[in-house]
Amino acid sequence: MRNRTLAEEPLVAAVAVALILLLSGLLRPALAQEVLPSWNDTAAKSRIVEFVKATVTEGGDGYVAPYDRIAVFDNDGTLWSEQPIYFQFGFMIDRVKTLAPQHPDWKTKEPYKSILDGDPMGALKSGEKGIVDLAMTTHAGMTTDQFSKIVTDWFATAKHPKTGKPYDEMTFVPMRELLDYLRSNGFKTYIVSGGGVEFMRPMTEKMYGIPPEQVVGSTILTEYAIVGDVPVLRRLPKIDFVDDGKGKPAGINKFIGRRPIFVAGNSDGDYEMLRWVTAAKGPGFAMIVHHTDDAREVAYDRKSAIGKLDKALDEAERRNWLVVDMKADWKRVFAFDN
Amino acid sequence: MRNRTLAEEPLVAAVAVALILLLSGLLRPALAQEVLPSWNDTAAKSRIVEFVKATVTEGGDGYVAPYDRIAVFDNDGTLWSEQPIYFQFGFMIDRVKTLAPQHPDWKTKEPYKSILDGDPMGALKSGEKGIVDLAMTTHAGMTTDQFSKIVTDWFATAKHPKTGKPYDEMTFVPMRELLDYLRSNGFKTYIVSGGGVEFMRPMTEKMYGIPPEQVVGSTILTEYAIVGDVPVLRRLPKIDFVDDGKGKPAGINKFIGRRPIFVAGNSDGDYEMLRWVTAAKGPGFAMIVHHTDDAREVAYDRKSAIGKLDKALDEAERRNWLVVDMKADWKRVFAFDN
């Protein structure tokens, strides 16, 4: 380290003065922005803002050190729509159509037959075994790099059956604002979803500002192999971990290794995760996205194509979990709405 | 947003001037620090520094965007010592002694008998089944919170059998400097170890500045349960995932979801991970910590208690992997050395 020259001294002083003034808040009003602009000024928004303000207020009862500000979000029905079907099921349907020429037997074999006959919901009748078979056929047998490209290509071309929009535009604007708001307050944001982790990871940075390593989800086994002197990871047709229900706290523990202080979900598949977060000794905030808006999305209340919302909704009040009424609490749902 | 008052204008100007001067580098010499001070000025240090400089030099061939600057480190023998035994095995030995009064049958039952008779290496003779049994007995049957406390308490009291130092002081200073150096250049640093993830996580922030969610390791199954209306995760005596050898690229894919550009290991258990990182199309740097220093640590070259270093060392030159010679390349090994 050399000595500072005389010419540098005033610069150091200028920086110091500027930083002190910045920190003292004199410039802050000029930078102020409206918080959660797509949320109506209802109790829901207030409760969220109050919690976040408390976590960042040093010396207060609700203060949480930045290191511990972990927030987890379910994906399907919480960050983006899950209607009329889980979007990953839409991906499976399209994969079956793409792969069908190589599998002539699918014309007469369920669950493929229903899909090829234009009745995808009929495929659900083949039960868990049929769905797992369908998932493995469409998600395994290739390398991880190949699968990532298949997913990325699908998102680039596939359209939502009802809105005609690309699936990655089917995200809820208020929830994206919430992610941004939490991050701007020092939170590290994660997805914790029953969906396949490698179905989500290629898109989450673009969709939500969440990098792949902050996506927890269901996994299938992979196997390291050398192909022509190049190492690859092959996706095997075998489920490794199901990140749903009781699996969500286990997934959080496995992938993140500590307990979040903020959680958002929308179904009983998130119930255990909501319990897990709000059972901590310190501050913990849980919210449920309640689908009440038939004009802008779908009002399905306690039901959905596969999941349901009963237990979590029944216990929300006594556990102090915030129930967000999409119709009443959100100004906007999708970015393409006006 | 309100209009700026006249009084604020000079402040804004001062900040702007200061920032411009900072960015133009006029102040940089005053802040300069020696890079990797515990490394000797040998080719090893040069190669590391050249790689890192290239990754941060915009417009250069070796430039890597901050988003993709992921670095992964093996733990045992790479970030801290693994001699005379893996430290997690030391933990198991102490756990057996603690739990022995509740298990009178252990006096005559291997692998417990050897440990209680003061011959821990004898326990290894019971083979993989015996070791797995030992690991499950000492690592499962409690909640995740309880296990975290057991590990933290052990680190607070246990001493290394040779140096008499707490185990968390058995880290290699040059490697800690390397972690800091990478992070100061925008890298996100991870551990990818065969060790148990929940044995490492309570300590890695303190030891290496690596938070729990950036620790990839072997896992056992956990089960969500309600105990007296409180949700807990119980650790089950069943291995979930072994993060070693071919498991390391799979573990990186599962937990991180993208390919690192920097990797450090010290044994053939890291071989596949070294291949995986350096097979990427863009820049990729791999290094092997070679244990050559019998005075300051242990010179065990290609052997160790359990692992070995053959294949990785044999292929290092042709694959352009850096082999770090601890004796020649490091000024210091442990912080307690003078």
Side-chain angles (χ1 to χ4, degrees):
Chain A
M1 199 187 290
R2 66 185 178 84
N3 291 326
R4 282 193 296 254
T5 65
L6 273 176
E8 282 167 355
E9 292 289 1
L11 306 182
V12 173
V15 171
V17 167
L19 287 177
I20 287 163
L21 291 169
L22 266 171
L23 292 171
S24 71
L26 279 174
L27 290 175
R28 205 176 294 155
L31 303 169
Q33 266 189 311
E34 191 192 350
V35 161
L36 303 176
S38 298
W39 291 67
N40 286 319
D41 289 324
T42 52
K45 178 174 173 174
S46 303
R47 278 181 63 181
I48 293 170
V49 171
E50 275 164 27
F51 176 79
V52 173
K53 280 191 175 165
T55 61
V56 302
T57 303
E58 288 191 56
D61 284 347
Y63 178 72
V64 178
Y67 180 79
D68 291 313
R69 290 181 205 153
I70 306 270
V72 291
F73 288 77
D74 170 58
N75 189 29
D76 298 300
T78 299
L79 292 180
W80 70 353
S81 184
E82 60 181 1
Q83 293 292 344
I85 47 167
Y86 289 139
F87 295 173
Q88 193 166 359
F89 188 56
F91 168 77
M92 291 186 212
I93 292 169
D94 289 347
R95 281 291 290 162
V96 165
K97 290 176 185 164
T98 303
L99 296 171
Q102 299 157 242
H103 301 270
D105 58 315
W106 285 0
K107 281 181 195 154
T108 54
K109 186 183 167 188
E110 290 293 357
Y112 308 96
K113 182 179 183 300
S114 292
I115 291 171
L116 295 173
D117 289 350
D119 174 30
M121 299 312 273
L124 298 178
K125 287 177 200 149
S126 58
E128 191 182 325
K129 194 182 166 300
I131 300 298
V132 169
D133 192 65
L134 178 65
M136 294 302 102
T137 309
T138 52
H139 285 70
M142 68 294 279
T143 69
T144 50
D145 286 348
Q146 286 165 344
F147 186 70
S148 178
K149 186 176 182 316
I150 289 167
V151 170
T152 307
D153 290 350
W154 182 77
F155 273 100
T157 54
K159 298 281 191 292
H160 186 268
K162 191 179 148 196
T163 64
K165 300 287 178 185
Y167 282 97
D168 58 330
E169 293 185 21
M170 296 300 298
T171 58
F172 303 135
V173 174
M175 295 305 286
R176 292 179 56 174
E177 288 173 1
L178 177 54
L179 289 169
D180 288 338
Y181 175 57
L182 289 170
R183 287 191 291 254
S184 72
N185 283 282
F187 281 75
K188 197 164 178 179
T189 53
Y190 281 82
I191 289 172
V192 177
S193 165
V197 74
E198 296 191 79
F199 175 75
M200 297 182 277
R201 281 179 171 162
M203 299 301 295
T204 52
E205 176 70 30
K206 180 187 167 197
M207 286 165 63
Y208 309 121
I210 294 177
E213 63 269 26
Q214 285 162 227
V215 180
V216 178
S218 298
T219 53
I220 66 177
L221 286 179
T222 65
E223 178 186 59
Y224 175 91
I226 298 288
V227 177
D229 204 42
V230 176
V232 298
L233 285 172
R234 281 205 198 101
R235 291 171 58 80
L236 305 181
K238 188 146 187 251
I239 290 176
D240 172 45
F241 175 66
V242 177
D243 189 54
D244 196 35
K246 292 181 178 182
K248 289 202 173 189
I252 289 171
N253 182 66
K254 172 152 68 173
F255 285 80
I256 308 178
R258 46 208 180 107
R259 203 186 293 239
I261 63 163
F262 189 103
V263 59
N266 80 304
S267 80
D268 285 351
D270 303 310
Y271 172 80
E272 286 83 1
M273 170 166 77
L274 296 169
R275 291 283 307 264
W276 180 245
V277 170
T278 52
K281 277 175 195 154
F285 190 95
M287 61 173 268
I288 295 168
V289 175
H290 192 196
H291 292 262
T292 52
D293 193 330
D294 222 10
R296 299 180 298 183
E297 201 228 7
V298 186
Y300 52 103
D301 189 26
R302 287 171 179 258
K303 293 181 209 125
S304 78
I306 298 173
K308 59 179 181 163
L309 173 64
D310 278 329
K311 203 173 175 184
L313 202 56
D314 290 340
E315 298 184 14
E317 192 173 342
R318 78 175 163 100
R319 298 199 184 278
N320 199 30
W321 297 343
L322 171 66
V323 178
V324 173
D325 179 335
M326 285 175 69
K327 188 173 180 180
D329 293 327
W330 288 359
K331 265 185 205 149
R332 246 193 350 168
V333 175
F334 300 112
F336 52 77
D337 291 339
N338 284 318
Chain B
M1 200 187 289
R2 66 184 177 86
N3 292 326
R4 281 194 295 254
T5 64
L6 273 176
E8 282 167 356
E9 292 289 2
L11 306 183
V12 173
V15 171
V17 168
L19 286 176
I20 288 164
L21 291 169
L22 266 173
L23 290 171
S24 71
L26 279 174
L27 291 175
R28 204 174 296 154
L31 304 168
Q33 267 190 309
E34 192 192 349
V35 161
L36 302 176
S38 298
W39 292 67
N40 286 318
D41 288 325
T42 52
K45 178 173 173 173
S46 304
R47 279 180 64 180
I48 293 170
V49 171
E50 275 164 28
F51 176 79
V52 172
K53 281 190 175 164
T55 60
V56 302
T57 303
E58 288 190 56
D61 285 346
Y63 178 71
V64 178
Y67 181 77
D68 290 313
R69 290 180 206 153
I70 305 269
V72 290
F73 289 77
D74 169 59
N75 190 28
D76 298 300
T78 298
L79 292 180
W80 70 353
S81 183
E82 60 181 0
Q83 293 292 345
I85 47 165
Y86 290 137
F87 295 173
Q88 193 166 359
F89 187 56
F91 168 76
M92 290 186 214
I93 292 169
D94 289 347
R95 281 292 288 162
V96 166
K97 290 176 186 165
T98 303
L99 296 171
Q102 301 157 241
H103 301 270
D105 57 315
W106 284 1
K107 280 181 196 156
T108 55
K109 187 182 166 190
E110 289 294 356
Y112 308 96
K113 182 180 181 301
S114 292
I115 291 171
L116 295 174
D117 289 349
D119 174 30
M121 299 312 272
L124 298 178
K125 287 178 199 148
S126 60
E128 192 182 323
K129 196 183 164 297
I131 300 298
V132 169
D133 192 65
L134 178 64
M136 294 303 103
T137 308
T138 51
H139 285 70
M142 69 293 280
T143 70
T144 49
D145 287 347
Q146 287 165 343
F147 186 70
S148 177
K149 186 175 184 314
I150 289 167
V151 169
T152 306
D153 289 349
W154 181 78
F155 273 100
T157 55
K159 298 281 190 291
H160 186 268
K162 194 178 146 195
T163 64
K165 301 287 178 184
Y167 282 96
D168 59 332
E169 292 184 22
M170 296 299 299
T171 59
F172 302 135
V173 174
M175 296 305 286
R176 292 180 57 175
E177 289 173 1
L178 177 53
L179 289 168
D180 287 339
Y181 175 57
L182 289 169
R183 286 191 291 254
S184 71
N185 282 281
F187 280 75
K188 197 165 177 177
T189 53
Y190 282 82
I191 289 171
V192 177
S193 165
V197 74
E198 295 191 81
F199 175 73
M200 296 181 277
R201 281 177 172 164
M203 299 301 296
T204 53
E205 176 70 31
K206 181 188 167 197
M207 286 166 62
Y208 308 121
I210 295 178
E213 63 269 26
Q214 284 161 228
V215 179
V216 178
S218 298
T219 53
I220 66 176
L221 287 179
T222 64
E223 178 187 58
Y224 175 91
I226 297 287
V227 177
D229 204 42
V230 177
V232 297
L233 286 171
R234 280 205 198 101
R235 292 172 57 80
L236 305 181
K238 188 146 186 250
I239 290 176
D240 172 48
F241 175 65
V242 177
D243 189 53
D244 196 36
K246 293 180 178 183
K248 288 203 173 189
I252 289 171
N253 182 67
K254 172 154 65 172
F255 285 80
I256 308 178
R258 47 209 181 105
R259 204 186 294 237
I261 64 163
F262 189 103
V263 58
N266 80 304
S267 80
D268 285 351
D270 302 312
Y271 173 79
E272 287 83 1
M273 170 166 77
L274 296 168
R275 291 284 306 266
W276 181 244
V277 170
T278 52
K281 277 173 193 155
F285 190 94
M287 62 173 268
I288 295 167
V289 174
H290 192 196
H291 293 261
T292 52
D293 194 331
D294 223 10
R296 298 180 299 182
E297 201 229 7
V298 187
Y300 53 103
D301 190 25
R302 288 170 179 257
K303 293 181 209 125
S304 77
I306 298 173
K308 58 179 182 167
L309 173 64
D310 279 328
K311 203 172 176 185
L313 201 57
D314 289 341
E315 298 184 16
E317 193 171 343
R318 78 175 164 100
R319 298 198 185 278
N320 199 31
W321 297 343
L322 170 66
V323 178
V324 173
D325 178 336
M326 284 175 70
K327 188 174 180 178
D329 294 328
W330 287 0
K331 266 185 206 149
R332 239 181 11 156
V333 175
F334 299 113
F336 51 77
D337 290 339
N338 283 317

